[in-house]
Amino acid sequence: MAKPLLKIQRYFRRKPVRFFSLILLYLTAGSLVFLHSGFIGDSGPRARGRRDSVVASEMGSWSSSSSDTRGLGLMSRMFKETRRTGRRFGPHWMKKTGHEAQHRGGDYTSNWNRALKGRNAKDMEDGRAKYIGCYVDDTRKRALRGVSFFDYKKMTVFRCQDNCAERGYMYAGLEFGAECYCGHKIQAPNASESECNMECKGEKSNLCGGANRLSIYRLELSQESARRYGSAIFKGCFRRPDNVTLALPFSAVIQNMSVDKCVDMCTEREKSLAVLAGDRCYCGFPTPLFSLHELEDEEMCLSHCQGEEFESCGNDKFFVVYQTQVQDNRCMDRHFLPTRAKQLVALASFPGAGNTWARHLIELATGFYTGSYYFDGSLYNKGFKGERDHWRSGRTICIKTHESGRKEIEAFDSGILMIRNPYKALMAEFNRKYGGHIGFASQAHWRGKEWPEFVKNYAPWWASHTLDWLKYGKKVHVVHFEAMKRDLFSQLKGMVQFLGPKVSEERLLCVEGQKDGNFKRSGLRKLEYDPYTPEMKLSINELIRTVDAALKKRSMSGVPEDYMPR
């Protein structure tokens, strides 16, 4: 045995190149085997499902002139990806047909279809949206001309409604079982109810339109929902300012005026407001001369645009205003206090009451960072640079805290106390606890033992937190979350005055345009049922009465009326 091995050794000593060649071949063969096993392991149904999920993407809004070209271009790329993964379905407009019915565009919003016999009461109206009928959809001239998105695995009626509502649209339409379209107007005629006959991909119990047919719902939008036109946010109808050239310094006459043209022009000029006045487009920023605080009836602005008959372009006396995607940088600079603060000011709230949102607003309004009693790396990474400072550093304008109890409260010289409806605050904190700052708790958490246990422990804390700050706080400025949502300018102005810095109205107007920040949960309430039991409501209502009485005892306004009853 030794002699053959010795011969092999001598052979490779004389031929080292052959030795290294054999080693290279061996490694190559091993790599091929490894790669082959990897492909086999990734070719099962789970892997295909992961690749198929690429199709569930969201498309941007379309302009009236080039909407179908851009939309179809993106959709064709998505469906090419789908065919690679082995799926055999495709969009109906890419299949060859003998002819297509063409419909002239019109506003068919009021033509509600009466053939609703096949739908139950829950489908027609569930407090979130109202089903209004089946409508024709044309790929070259959409019935709903806002944003759209598709999900060929998990599309549901609720998901489509939610995505359209969070963008401020009035209508949500489902088509082909998996496509969702949003819009402010229905620009197509009714179709027979029997033509909306395709089941939703994510819930077989509901119908999601049909081939070139939309099942359309009218959305019940929350007050804070902004109405959008493409990427621009509709701000409303406003009276012409007294000194329009000073209030809106840039303007131009546009032939065949449309919302798109004015928004595009102001975006190119890097202005945050696009203002339509007939055939003239003004661009600028909100200022005390044009603050956007005095809304007029939208009927005063109902003058059709020359370039788009379904859009309103205002007139010489009443302007239609949109907010562009241009960031207003007048309030974006932030830094630490130039000198150490002599007093520690708390920004106190129960968890889920909007503390992070208030910090965002205060930082933009004052130009100074806010601090925290805790440290949250995700907040620091999102721009809250005061998060890393020790809360006693004196370098921040105020300090976030959820603490209650005499010792913790008396450590501060004064404080802003934020109070929110406990029904909303508890749900917000439960979502944060199980879904992160902008995520949502799963259905399993809501329906499991976690939610009842959470309400049992946290609801009394909501009341005791407010009562402790009212009792032990040295100087307390009370702010209601709901009041800030309703009248941000005046509420934020009061907070800045309490904190001490000089109030800049232009800066406050800038904040109104950047008010949401990075920690706003999107959409409507994600639950399709009320998670509060009658026993929970009885307990929470009693806590609300206790807090209301404590506020009034200190000559403050009580809790807002919408806190109770439930």
Side-chain angles (χ1 to χ4, degrees):
M1 184 67 183
K3 287 183 179 181
L5 289 175
L6 186 61
K7 288 180 179 180
I8 293 172
Q9 186 180 10
R10 288 174 179 172
Y11 173 79
F12 281 115
R13 281 179 182 174
R14 293 195 301 268
K15 305 290 185 180
V17 175
R18 294 181 182 178
F19 173 73
F20 287 113
S21 299
L22 286 172
I23 292 295
L24 184 61
L25 287 171
Y26 175 77
L27 293 174
T28 304
S31 299
L32 290 172
V33 171
F34 177 76
L35 289 172
H36 180 65
S37 64
F39 282 125
I40 291 175
D42 197 37
S43 62
R46 289 186 179 180
R48 287 196 299 273
R50 287 194 296 270
R51 292 194 293 272
D52 287 345
S53 65
V54 174
V55 179
S57 61
E58 183 170 340
M59 296 173 59
S61 55
W62 303 328
S63 68
S64 59
S65 60
S66 60
S67 61
D68 299 316
T69 305
R70 293 200 301 270
L72 287 174
L74 179 54
M75 283 184 276
S76 65
R77 289 197 296 275
M78 291 197 305
F79 283 105
K80 286 176 183 177
E81 178 66 27
T82 308
R83 286 193 288 271
R84 289 191 200 105
T85 61
R87 300 179 72 90
R88 295 185 177 274
F89 51 75
H92 50 276
W93 58 83
M94 295 182 71
K95 298 177 182 177
K96 294 182 179 179
T97 57
H99 61 277
E100 284 189 23
Q102 298 182 3
H103 298 274
R104 187 179 182 275
D107 185 0
Y108 295 88
T109 303
S110 61
N111 296 341
W112 289 16
N113 192 303
R114 293 181 175 82
L116 307 178
K117 297 179 179 179
R119 296 180 179 265
N120 57 37
K122 182 179 183 299
D123 292 328
M124 292 174 60
E125 186 158 13
D126 58 1
R128 202 177 46 248
K130 186 172 185 177
Y131 178 75
I132 61 172
C134 183
Y135 286 78
V136 172
D137 194 31
D138 189 331
T139 59
R140 289 168 294 183
K141 207 164 188 180
R142 291 289 179 187
L144 296 175
R145 300 179 185 176
V147 301
S148 61
F149 77 102
F150 317 121
D151 190 336
Y152 287 90
K153 295 180 74 69
K154 298 180 180 179
M155 178 60 74
T156 65
V157 172
F158 177 74
R159 186 179 178 198
C160 179
Q161 293 171 356
D162 193 51
N163 275 273
C164 293
E166 74 180 48
R167 289 160 177 80
Y169 287 102
M170 301 293 292
Y171 296 94
L174 295 107
E175 182 174 338
F176 204 57
E179 301 169 7
C180 177
Y181 297 88
C182 312
H184 290 307
K185 288 182 178 180
I186 304 173
Q187 301 182 36
N190 287 104
S192 170
E193 198 65 25
S194 61
E195 295 177 32
C196 287
N197 53 14
M198 299 186 74
E199 294 179 339
C200 302
K201 296 294 183 180
E203 52 178 352
K204 302 299 183 183
S205 59
N206 277 326
L207 298 178
C208 286
N212 289 336
R213 295 295 181 266
L214 279 170
S215 298
I216 295 184
Y217 294 81
R218 187 182 64 175
L219 304 174
E220 303 296 333
L221 298 178
S222 55
Q223 289 184 354
E224 62 267 20
S225 293
R227 285 168 53 185
R228 293 180 179 266
Y229 186 92
S231 61
I233 300 172
F234 176 72
K235 303 297 288 185
C237 177
F238 299 89
R239 187 180 295 273
R240 176 192 178 100
D242 293 333
N243 192 337
V244 67
T245 55
L246 189 61
L248 300 165
F250 181 83
S251 69
V253 174
I254 299 178
Q255 292 184 346
N256 296 322
M257 171 70 90
S258 69
V259 174
D260 270 339
K261 290 179 179 179
C262 186
V263 169
D264 288 346
M265 185 185 81
C266 294
T267 300
E268 290 175 3
R269 296 282 175 177
E270 296 187 349
K271 306 296 183 184
S272 66
L273 293 184
V275 183
L276 294 90
D279 61 351
R280 183 172 289 276
C281 175
Y282 293 92
C283 305
F285 296 101
T287 66
L289 295 174
F290 194 56
S291 64
L292 307 185
H293 287 164
E294 297 180 3
L295 272 169
E296 300 288 345
D297 191 323
E298 288 185 25
E299 290 187 2
M300 306 301 293
C301 290
L302 289 182
S303 300
H304 292 301
C305 298
Q306 293 179 358
E308 177 54 67
E309 59 179 313
F310 300 110
E311 297 173 358
S312 296
C313 278
N315 50 63
D316 290 339
K317 294 183 179 180
F318 295 93
F319 294 174
V320 176
V321 181
Y322 285 86
Q323 181 178 319
T324 70
Q325 291 296 296
V326 175
Q327 187 177 65
D328 188 346
N329 291 319
R330 295 176 298 169
C331 58
M332 298 309 293
D333 60 301
R334 288 167 289 172
H335 44 82
F336 290 101
L337 293 174
T339 57
R340 184 184 174 92
K342 296 180 180 179
Q343 293 190 331
L344 295 176
V345 184
L347 179 61
S349 73
F350 174 78
N355 200 303
T356 301
W357 180 51
R359 288 179 68 185
H360 164 75
L361 297 173
I362 289 170
E363 289 193 1
L364 295 187
T366 64
F368 297 118
Y369 289 121
T370 59
S372 177
Y373 195 81
Y374 322 98
F375 171 72
D376 189 327
S378 64
L379 292 180
Y380 178 82
N381 292 333
K382 287 290 185 179
F384 290 96
K385 299 304 180 185
E387 192 76 14
R388 254 186 174 173
D389 267 35
H390 189 275
W391 66 279
R392 287 184 177 275
S393 71
R395 299 206 304 161
T396 54
I397 191 73
C398 61
I399 299 102
K400 164 188 173 179
T401 179
H402 298 311
E403 301 299 311
S404 55
R406 182 171 184 171
K407 181 180 177 181
E408 290 76 9
I409 294 172
E410 290 182 346
F412 294 94
D413 298 291
S414 60
I416 295 173
L417 175 61
M418 285 197 67
I419 305 174
R420 186 182 186 184
N421 185 330
Y423 288 101
K424 301 290 181 64
L426 288 168
M427 293 179 70
E429 176 59 12
F430 190 72
N431 277 321
R432 187 207 63 79
K433 186 174 182 180
Y434 290 100
H437 278 288
I438 57 174
F440 293 88
S442 67
Q443 289 290 331
H445 289 128
W446 288 105
R447 295 186 181 277
K449 63 180 181 181
E450 292 91 344
W451 171 243
E453 191 69 22
F454 178 86
V455 173
K456 179 181 177 181
N457 294 328
Y458 275 67
W461 181 19
W462 174 85
S464 65
H465 182 276
T466 300
L467 297 175
D468 282 356
W469 274 94
L470 292 175
K471 183 176 182 181
Y472 301 119
K474 298 173 185 175
K475 183 182 178 184
V476 179
H477 177 72
V478 175
V479 177
H480 292 284
F481 177 90
E482 292 75 16
M484 288 187 68
K485 298 287 285 186
R486 186 172 55 253
D487 185 11
L488 177 62
F489 186 88
S490 62
Q491 292 294 320
L492 186 56
K493 184 177 181 179
M495 293 167 72
V496 175
Q497 289 173 336
F498 180 82
L499 291 169
K502 183 180 178 181
V503 177
S504 166
E505 288 201 11
E506 287 211 4
R507 196 167 182 114
L508 290 174
L509 291 169
C510 171
V511 175
E512 286 187 310
Q514 330 272 341
K515 63 182 180 180
D516 287 339
N518 294 320
F519 289 93
K520 180 181 183 297
R521 285 189 178 87
S522 60
L524 298 173
R525 179 169 60 89
K526 294 293 179 179
L527 289 179
E528 297 184 84
Y529 66 96
D530 187 349
Y532 292 100
T533 64
E535 293 77 15
M536 291 178 183
K537 293 177 183 178
L538 284 173
S539 175
I540 294 172
N541 287 345
E542 186 60 36
L543 294 172
I544 292 173
R545 294 188 189 96
T546 303
V547 170
D548 183 63
L551 289 168
K552 291 178 178 177
K553 185 177 180 181
R554 288 160 179 78
S555 302
M556 300 178 182
S557 60
V559 299
E561 294 181 0
D562 60 352
Y563 277 28
M564 57 179 292
R566 290 276 294 189

